[in-house]
Amino acid sequence: MEKIRRNERMSAMMKILSGAPNRIFTLSNFCEMFGTAKSTMSEDIDILREVVSQFGLGELETVTGSAGGVRYRAKVKRPDARKFVGDLCQMLAGSERVLPGGFLYYSDILATPSITNRMGEIMATEYYSQAPDFVLTMETKGIPVAFATASALGVPLVIARRSSKVYEGSAVNINYVSGSGNIETMSLSRRSVKEGQRCLIVDDFLKGGGTAKGMVDLMHEFGVTVVGMTFVMSTAKPLKKRITGEKSLMVLEMDAENETAHVKPAFWLNGDA
């Protein structure tokens, strides 16, 4: 085998690590792949770690122990997250996106991969320490950003549906009160999750919190612990939601009289973590 140069090794390693966020790769894996000694691989990883940190590309972490190695996490620094969300708010503010009935059009934002991927990385950054086993969302608009968050966390995406599907086998169905006050149904296949797992709830919009509360109740039926809830956007009113402890990226306040939308970054983004 032709000797592989350091710049070639590092380029390949970065591609492999960033392509599988939060997955641990042992040094032995890379040593066998590149035909290199562990001491050399350790030096390469140290260089990569400095580069990733210097340019704000995330975090390269060494995991110790028998099953240890190195993993990449797509962490976003708080100032960078605040700037990104602030730019989104400017795109969404004004009157052009306001729809009849006081709704805000932002489906194009959720359908743009570069935007949803970045939102997913910001959301994942806040919950790496909680080590969720999967991400849960409710069909359908929240799926893109939930998928991006699950990808950044390196865990599966689970989708709750409004009715059970025959091809998913037996399911658990619950009734919940939606944000509009209607009684609706939420369904999840029994094979989707396991008792004792940890769940992160991700969705696109939070108003009164009825759907989010329904997802929390659904997880209780499965014996699953909800470690966090995060949303693309929440409304300023009602101030008191049916859930607590959630994090949204943006806060929406509609001016019905002037038919304009005021969108601002969530308060927690002002921190320096």
Side-chain angles (χ1 to χ4, degrees), residues 9-199:
R9 287 197 308 269
M10 293 176 64
S11 297
M13 275 197 297
M14 194 63 221
K15 173 63 176 177
I16 293 168
L17 289 166
S18 62
N22 214 25
R23 174 182 167 185
I24 298 175
F25 291 85
T26 65
L27 288 184
S28 299
N29 286 339
F30 289 128
C31 290
E32 293 175 6
M33 183 181 299
F34 301 120
T36 308
K38 283 189 176 182
S39 57
T40 303
M41 291 307 309
S42 295
E43 292 174 3
D44 291 352
I45 290 171
D46 287 339
I47 295 172
L48 272 180
R49 183 184 296 109
E50 293 178 5
V51 171
V52 168
S53 176
Q54 179 181 354
F55 291 96
L57 302 176
E59 179 181 89
L60 212 59
E61 182 182 33
T62 300
V63 182
T64 58
S66 58
V70 61
R71 66 183 170 194
Y72 169 78
R73 285 180 163 178
K75 287 189 174 181
V76 182
K77 294 181 179 178
R78 191 64 62 78
D80 294 334
R82 185 168 60 247
K83 182 181 184 308
F84 174 81
V85 174
D87 291 341
L88 280 183
C89 291
Q90 291 184 5
M91 292 174 59
L92 294 171
S95 59
E96 294 180 356
R97 289 179 173 270
V98 177
L99 301 174
F103 295 99
L104 182 71
Y105 177 78
Y106 63 107
S107 295
D108 57 330
I109 299 295
L110 298 177
T112 303
S114 60
I115 295 178
T116 53
N117 286 341
R118 191 59 168 174
M119 288 193 293
E121 291 172 352
I122 294 171
M123 290 175 168
T125 297
E126 300 301 310
Y127 295 98
Y128 277 120
S129 61
Q130 299 297 324
D133 295 302
F134 63 92
V135 167
L136 174 71
T137 193
M138 183 71 183
E139 62 178 4
T140 56
K141 285 180 66 178
I143 291 176
V145 70
F147 180 84
T149 306
S151 178
L153 289 168
V155 299
L157 170 64
V158 176
I159 302 171
R161 303 192 181 277
R162 304 188 190 285
S163 61
S164 58
K165 306 296 182 181
V166 65
Y167 52 77
E168 292 187 336
S170 62
V172 172
N173 298 281
I174 67 166
N175 294 324
Y176 68 98
V177 182
S178 68
S180 58
N182 298 324
I183 303 296
E184 299 189 12
T185 301
M186 187 179 298
S187 175
L188 186 64
S189 170
R190 293 184 183 274
R191 303 187 185 193
S192 297
V193 301
K194 298 178 181 178
E195 184 177 354
Q197 286 188 310
R198 298 164 63 82
C199 160

